[in-house]
Amino acid sequence: MASWSPQPAGLQEILQTIRDSTDTQNKVQRAITLKLNSFTRVPDYIAYLAHILATLPQEEDQIRTIAGYLLKNNAHLILKVSPDVAGYAKAAVLSAFNDPSALVRTAAGQDIVAFLGVLEPRNWPDCLEQLVGMLDDPNRQEAAFSVFEKACEDFPRKLDIEINGTRPLDFMIPKFLMLSEHPSPKMRSHAVACLSYFVPISSQSLFAHIDTFIACLFKRASDDDHSVRRHVCQALVLLLAARPEKLMPEMANVAEYMLYSTKDKNESVALEACEFWLTFAEDPELAPYLHPLLGRVAPVLLDCMVYGEDDLLWLEGDTEDTTVPDKESDIKPRHYGAKSHGLDREGAETAEDAAKRGVYGQETIDDDDDDYDLDDDDFADEMSTEWNLRKCAAAALDVLAVRFGADLMNVLLTPLKDKLWSPEWLQRESAILALGAMAEGCIDVIEEHLKVLIPYLLNTLNDPKPLVRSITCWTLGRYASWCTQPISEEHKNRYFIPTMEGLLRMVLDDNKRVQEAGCSAFATLEEDAGAELCPYLEPVLRNLVFAFQKYQHKNMLILYDAIGTLADAVGRALSNPQYVEILMPPLTGRWNKLQDDDDDLIPLLECLSSVAIAMGPGFAPYAPLVFQRCVAIVHRSLLQYQAYQQNPDLDEPDKSFLVVSLDLLSGLAQGLGVTLEPIISHTQPNLLTLLTVCLKHPQAPVRQSAYALVGDLAMGCFTLLGPHLPAIMAELIQQLDPEPKVEFVSACNNAAWSVGEVALRYGRDDPEFQQWVNPLIARLIPILLHPKAPRSLHENAAVSIGRIGLMHPVLVAPHLPEFAQAWCQALYEIRDNEEKDSAFRGLCTLVQTNPAGIAKSLLWFCNAVVRWNNPSPELNAMFQQLLTGFRNHDVAGWQAQVASFPPAIQDRLATRYGV
């Protein structure tokens, strides 16, 4: 080994700490964790861990194994240590890989994978060489292959390299192919798995042997070992995604095998085979090959959606378990994204929707690699977080429905009917799941049947089986938009009201699973129904409030979501004093029970933010205490983060408390407006001082919520915000990055939005704001012009440019030629609203100030003008004045340009404005 040796005192200290770590007391564990974290600053810490793992047989295997796992978790440190320390650690783990103890060998194998991932194989070639050599040693080949499989899965690209003029894979791939014939099923399984991981990266070393590889898969397809067959199915799925042309000549045989495997008694094999149909369906270019197979594939998928016996062992609990407390392990971790401000685009996803989905770098509830997610993976087995055969089959059916619509429905109509009216409850349950899965793609075909199906589903809510009631809730949620459409009074009475009443009954069911499904489905109904719910608010609120007395921990979190969604849906209708009196007592009761550091406070704060906005002045009696507590949480969170920055050995504080407190403060500002000012003034510490600190916070979601609060305070409490704006604007200008990192986009988005609100409140040609106009415009225009910036960022930048232009036209107008076309392109699809109106009034003011600036963008300007449905009288007059002036003075060759416009734009210009 390399020339490094441990200091006895240091070795004993680390050893003793590891021994102490086996103590199960929480207080001891916390102290040990802090101590172990402090060791990472010792320059040769990883060498000590490697030494304990490899050279201390007198220690218990558990102690050596813990050292190995600590080494794996700190493998990144190998890049920061001296060559002697790194050399010793590498040699030690290779030595430990030959230890007599199986536990030590396993830990050493994980360390080897971790080191290879950090160092990259090109920088540790002798390790690769030794591992390949071990594949020929009957005593060590399985352990070596286990390491290879993990490495090939984790970092195949790092293995697909050249070292000293040769490519290791050129030797390894043929070796793996040969070992796929090994007598040991574990070896065959490792071989097929390792080969398959190089398919997605299009490894030329593998593709040089592609035909041999495919032949190998066909040969192993009938292997006796289920693990081998699972990896064969996995490899065929990966090939279908990467090299479908290689499978097409044999597709009849491959499809036959995959259909057979989808029905395999071993669920892991069946799941991998089912993934094949999901992958097949997701590629539109493969649709012509899949279409002829629909008649055989779809019924098999339908059968896969029936619960298996193993599922039922743990899914079928007590039918009435509402009084049984939840286990903490049943409650999934929840992640809270910060508030997003965006504009509502016609026929398109809003910025808020996108933020909720996490496409702008925010955290999401489900960060799996699977592209498919049926409403936060709430199938009937919503308590299971595992991706399983039932979910995969439902996902595949959903994609098939989108791809083939009516053709799929024609195939499944008879089997669906048979299952829906089957005397077997498991068959009925699976058919109801299938109906929900097909809702999006087959709605045009299913719609004619909904007048029968919706009453059937509503009746099924009375089924004695909780699993049937819960999946029925989910499927009704999938058809909520049809139930809530205001077609006629008859439609409302036959479908909307009964669905609302049925789901509310399920909200109060005596089974916790049904409560959860009912509450989630009712929240979906709320979103779709919107103001249609207003006449029924009293019974809706009384039902939801009664749930506070009934729900256990997990469902209480879902209840908060349902109440927040209701507030968003009905808006100011919730300010009725009668409704305030119904809703607020249980919310304040929960508020009073929860400590400031209780995780359950987070969803309650999120819920109250929506409630405060909706209730508006009706929330005023509760505002002082809510405001003071939020400010206290913000203050405490900032102090905790400051302590963490000063002592990195501490755990990083959870940002969620800070984010949701800022969002609730935003909700109070929106709901109460100027009446919040006295509360802000009389609360210490001062919110605006804390807000300036939040704008500098290292975590983007905190800054995102802080900028939202700046804009909301500008709208409602500008007098108090004013003195703090010089400091705020300095941070805000820096946040406006033309090329923000993905995780910073939402913060940039809210900063861009808040700029416009601040500009409007300062007023026309305000001398204080003038100092920021040029720095702001210098950053907003590049954001607007950046081709890769998200749509919402383009929109908010355009609105703020317009609003700044409205207030300071002389300073902004010279830049008009730079951004006019991009500006019009960013906003022409936005629905009419006040933000858009003020932005367009700004653009018109800029055009009046610099008419030549619009010359090259006249088509886009006119297109944006005629896209308005109901511009305000002031804006419409500006449009009329500008367009008439263009025509009368033939600005920018008006007549010739208009003659080249699309006929639809010409017609609207003539009809609306007579030009």
Side-chain angles (χ1 to χ4, degrees):
M1 291 192 189
S3 57
W4 175 89
S5 58
Q7 297 295 319
L11 178 61
Q12 284 308 309
E13 186 180 8
I14 292 173
L15 262 174
Q16 190 56 50
T17 307
I18 293 174
R19 292 181 191 122
D20 292 343
S21 72
T22 60
D23 191 309
T24 56
Q25 293 182 45
N26 284 338
K27 285 185 178 178
V28 175
Q29 282 292 328
R30 280 195 292 271
I32 294 299
T33 300
L34 285 173
K35 194 165 185 182
L36 288 171
N37 286 343
S38 72
F39 288 152
T40 60
R41 293 198 291 275
V42 176
D44 48 358
Y45 177 47
I46 61 169
Y48 279 99
L49 294 174
H51 182 79
I52 295 168
L53 174 71
T55 68
L56 297 184
Q58 68 273 24
E59 291 292 333
E60 292 179 19
D61 285 355
Q62 182 188 15
I63 301 302
R64 297 171 67 194
T65 302
I66 292 172
Y69 290 144
L70 288 170
L71 183 56
K72 181 190 76 169
N73 293 338
N74 289 284
H76 62 280
L77 296 176
I78 200 167
L79 297 175
K80 303 175 182 177
V81 298
S82 69
D84 279 350
V85 170
Y88 184 90
K90 290 189 292 184
V93 296
L94 285 173
S95 170
F97 196 51
N98 295 311
D99 197 89
S101 164
L103 281 173
V104 171
R105 290 197 304 273
T106 300
Q110 294 189 3
D111 291 336
I112 290 170
V113 174
F115 278 178
L116 277 171
V118 172
L119 291 167
E120 299 200 10
R122 71 171 75 246
N123 297 315
W124 197 13
D126 49 331
C127 175
L128 270 190
E129 194 176 324
Q130 287 190 44
L131 287 171
V132 171
M134 290 180 195
L135 293 177
D136 293 324
D137 182 342
N139 296 319
R140 297 191 293 172
Q141 59 186 187
E142 193 180 307
F145 228 158
S146 178
V147 168
F148 266 128
E149 181 176 340
K150 187 63 180 159
C152 293
E153 181 181 11
D154 287 355
F155 41 84
R157 290 185 191 281
K158 293 179 181 179
L159 289 161
D160 194 15
I161 41 89
E162 192 172 291
I163 302 175
N164 299 327
T166 61
R167 301 183 69 82
L169 278 189
D170 288 346
F171 175 76
M172 290 160 60
I173 295 293
K175 189 81 174 173
F176 295 162
L177 286 166
M178 184 186 73
L179 289 169
S180 70
E181 305 275 356
H182 198 281
S184 163
K186 285 190 176 179
M187 292 293 288
R188 297 197 301 274
S189 178
H190 286 317
V192 176
C194 285
L195 288 163
S196 70
Y197 294 129
F198 293 105
V199 174
I201 67 164
S202 300
S203 167
Q204 291 312 303
S205 297
L206 174 66
F207 286 174
H209 301 276
I210 188 74
D211 294 330
T212 309
F213 176 46
I214 292 173
C216 152
L217 295 178
F218 289 162
K219 191 166 186 178
R220 296 272 63 85
S222 56
D223 201 288
D224 292 338
D225 184 79
H226 66 81
S227 178
V228 176
R229 296 199 308 277
R230 179 173 73 84
H231 285 302
V232 167
C233 291
Q234 180 187 50
L236 288 170
V237 172
L238 295 170
L239 276 170
L240 183 68
R243 295 291 298 272
E245 78 284 356
K246 284 292 180 182
L247 293 184
M248 288 308 137
E250 293 291 335
M251 184 45 72
N253 292 329
V254 172
E256 201 66 43
Y257 174 68
M258 284 307 202
L259 278 167
Y260 179 78
S261 297
T262 306
K263 296 181 278 189
D264 197 294
K265 290 180 181 177
N266 183 282
E267 181 161 335
S268 67
V269 176
L271 175 57
E272 288 298 343
C274 192
E275 291 277 5
F276 182 84
W277 305 116
L278 179 55
T279 302
F280 211 155
E282 284 175 334
D283 188 340
E285 293 183 10
L286 298 180
Y289 300 95
L290 181 55
H291 189 267
L293 301 170
L294 266 187
R296 298 192 61 203
V297 174
V300 170
L301 294 175
L302 195 57
D303 288 339
C304 288
M305 291 156 67
V306 181
Y307 276 123
E309 291 179 9
D310 291 346
D311 297 322
L312 295 177
L313 286 175
W314 63 273
L315 279 170
E316 273 212 288
D318 298 325
T319 54
E320 296 183 5
D321 60 355
T322 189
T323 59
V324 179
D326 293 329
K327 298 174 187 172
E328 290 307 304
S329 57
D330 291 338
I331 300 167
K332 298 178 193 174
R334 292 162 67 91
H335 302 287
Y336 296 89
K339 179 175 181 176
S340 249
H341 271 287
L343 299 164
D344 195 3
R345 196 160 60 250
E346 292 179 1
E349 179 179 62
T350 66
E352 184 178 4
D353 293 334
K356 284 178 181 172
R357 288 200 299 106
V359 296
Y360 301 152
Q362 296 186 148
E363 291 181 343
T364 54
I365 289 173
D366 185 1
D367 61 355
D368 288 340
D369 291 334
D370 302 295
D371 291 329
Y372 189 80
D373 185 18
L374 285 180
D375 291 4
D376 299 337
D377 77 343
D378 281 337
F379 295 105
D381 48 344
E382 56 268 76
M383 287 178 72
S384 165
T385 57
E386 286 185 11
W387 182 247
N388 56 28
L389 178 61
R390 172 182 162 88
K391 288 184 179 182
C392 186
L397 200 62
D398 186 325
V399 183
L400 285 172
V402 172
R403 189 75 62 223
F404 298 112
D407 290 345
L408 176 69
M409 192 63 193
N410 290 337
V411 167
L412 288 182
L413 195 56
T414 300
L416 264 178
K417 281 182 178 177
D418 292 344
K419 285 176 181 282
L420 284 170
W421 275 272
S422 168
E424 295 289 330
W425 74 269
L426 285 170
Q427 297 295 323
R428 294 198 306 275
E429 192 277 344
S430 66
I432 294 168
L433 168 60
L435 271 179
M438 295 163 64
E440 181 186 353
C442 291
I443 185 62
D444 292 341
V445 195
I446 292 178
E447 191 164 10
E448 64 182 274
H449 302 284
L450 287 179
K451 291 182 179 179
V452 174
L453 286 172
I454 296 298
Y456 168 87
L457 292 170
L458 291 172
N459 186 54
T460 307
L461 293 175
N462 300 313
D463 195 285
K465 291 289 184 182
L467 289 174
V468 175
R469 299 199 300 278
S470 64
I471 196 59
T472 303
C473 290
W474 179 78
T475 295
L476 280 168
R478 296 277 282 177
Y479 291 100
S481 58
W482 184 85
C483 295
T484 57
Q485 54 186 314
I487 296 173
S488 64
E489 213 45 43
E490 182 191 6
H491 184 93
K492 183 187 295 184
N493 291 330
R494 288 188 62 183
Y495 306 109
F496 170 54
I497 294 176
T499 301
M500 176 179 67
E501 291 174 344
L503 290 176
L504 280 173
R505 273 196 301 116
M506 297 303 98
V507 167
L508 297 178
D509 196 270
D510 287 330
N511 179 273
K512 290 191 290 187
R513 179 184 301 282
V514 179
Q515 292 170 1
E516 179 181 0
C519 215
S520 296
F522 191 74
T524 304
L525 186 85
E526 290 170 343
E527 287 180 324
D528 287 321
E532 292 289 322
L533 281 170
C534 292
Y536 316 100
L537 266 176
E538 183 183 351
V540 166
L541 286 169
R542 291 199 186 281
N543 271 268
L544 293 177
V545 162
F546 189 70
F548 276 99
Q549 302 170 35
K550 198 164 187 172
Y551 278 13
Q552 298 296 330
H553 187 184
K554 180 185 178 187
N555 287 348
M556 193 68 75
L557 307 181
I558 296 163
L559 180 59
Y560 292 144
D561 284 343
I563 291 171
T565 304
L566 178 67
D568 294 337
V570 302
R572 203 44 62 89
L574 202 59
S575 64
N576 182 318
Q578 181 187 8
Y579 304 153
V580 175
E581 187 57 37
I582 295 170
L583 181 57
M584 289 309 296
L587 288 176
T588 52
R590 292 292 298 172
W591 168 273
N592 292 330
K593 283 182 184 176
L594 299 172
Q595 299 297 311
D596 284 356
D597 58 354
D598 191 318
D599 286 342
D600 287 357
L601 187 64
I602 295 172
L604 176 57
L605 294 177
E606 201 173 40
C607 169
L608 283 171
S609 178
S610 294
V611 169
I613 294 168
M615 286 186 176
F619 198 82
Y622 309 94
L625 285 176
V626 171
F627 183 88
Q628 289 159 14
R629 188 170 186 180
C630 285
V631 169
I633 292 172
V634 169
H635 187 223
R636 191 196 74 220
S637 298
L638 291 174
L639 290 175
Q640 287 175 340
Y641 205 85
Q642 184 182 41
Y644 163 73
Q645 288 177 310
Q646 292 168 354
N647 182 6
D649 289 340
L650 296 172
D651 289 335
E652 185 171 9
D654 183 357
K655 66 180 178 298
S656 301
F657 288 96
L658 179 51
V659 167
V660 295
S661 295
L662 290 169
D663 288 347
L664 179 45
L665 290 166
S666 272
L668 291 172
Q670 286 183 65
L672 298 174
V674 71
T675 59
L676 190 64
E677 286 192 352
I679 301 173
I680 297 175
S681 299
H682 294 106
T683 301
Q684 290 299 323
N686 182 266
L687 168 63
L688 296 162
T689 304
L690 298 176
L691 179 57
T692 309
V693 178
C694 291
L695 297 177
K696 303 174 184 178
H697 201 282
Q699 293 182 318
V702 176
R703 299 199 304 278
Q704 179 183 338
S705 289
Y707 284 114
L709 181 53
V710 168
D712 289 326
L713 288 171
M715 286 191 283
C717 308
F718 187 73
T719 306
L720 293 182
L721 188 66
H724 298 267
L725 276 169
I728 289 172
M729 292 300 293
E731 294 300 324
L732 198 153
I733 290 167
Q734 292 303 312
Q735 186 68 60
L736 295 173
D737 186 349
E739 294 190 45
K741 294 179 181 176
V742 173
E743 62 269 28
F744 296 163
V745 169
S746 291
C748 186
N749 211 14
N750 283 359
W753 168 80
S754 64
V755 163
E757 296 297 340
V758 170
L760 285 185
R761 271 66 195 182
Y762 262 111
R764 189 73 181 253
D765 295 325
D766 183 272
E768 183 175 13
F769 192 86
Q770 278 184 354
Q771 65 183 305
W772 300 310
V773 171
N774 285 331
L776 286 169
I777 294 298
R779 285 178 174 264
L780 288 169
I781 291 176
I783 290 173
L784 179 60
L785 298 179
H786 199 287
K788 293 184 179 178
R791 184 86 181 247
S792 66
L793 197 49
H794 282 158
E795 292 162 0
N796 278 323
V799 166
S800 286
I801 290 170
R803 289 173 150 191
I804 295 169
L806 180 63
M807 296 296 115
H808 301 272
V810 175
L811 294 176
V812 181
H815 302 281
L816 184 59
E818 290 177 62
F819 65 79
Q821 179 176 325
W823 195 99
C824 295
Q825 288 171 326
L827 294 186
Y828 77 88
E829 284 187 315
I830 301 299
R831 287 196 176 95
D832 297 0
N833 59 36
E834 194 284 324
E835 286 186 28
K836 180 181 175 184
D837 193 278
S838 61
F840 267 81
R841 282 185 279 120
L843 180 70
C844 290
T845 304
L846 295 174
V847 174
Q848 288 169 347
T849 308
N850 180 14
I854 202 71
K856 293 182 180 178
S857 309
L858 211 49
L859 167 61
W860 290 102
F861 175 73
C862 291
N863 176 57
V865 168
V866 300
R867 289 296 190 109
W868 274 85
N869 294 315
N870 295 296
S872 65
E874 182 183 357
L875 177 60
N876 204 44
M878 295 176 89
F879 286 157
Q880 184 69 64
Q881 181 185 357
L882 283 172
L883 294 170
T884 304
F886 288 156
R887 182 196 61 188
N888 292 345
H889 299 96
D890 199 30
V891 173
W894 168 262
Q895 300 295 347
Q897 283 212 49
V898 171
S900 67
F901 287 179
I905 296 178
Q906 292 186 42
D907 290 346
R908 289 181 184 178
L909 286 171
T911 304
R912 294 184 187 179
Y913 299 105
V915 296

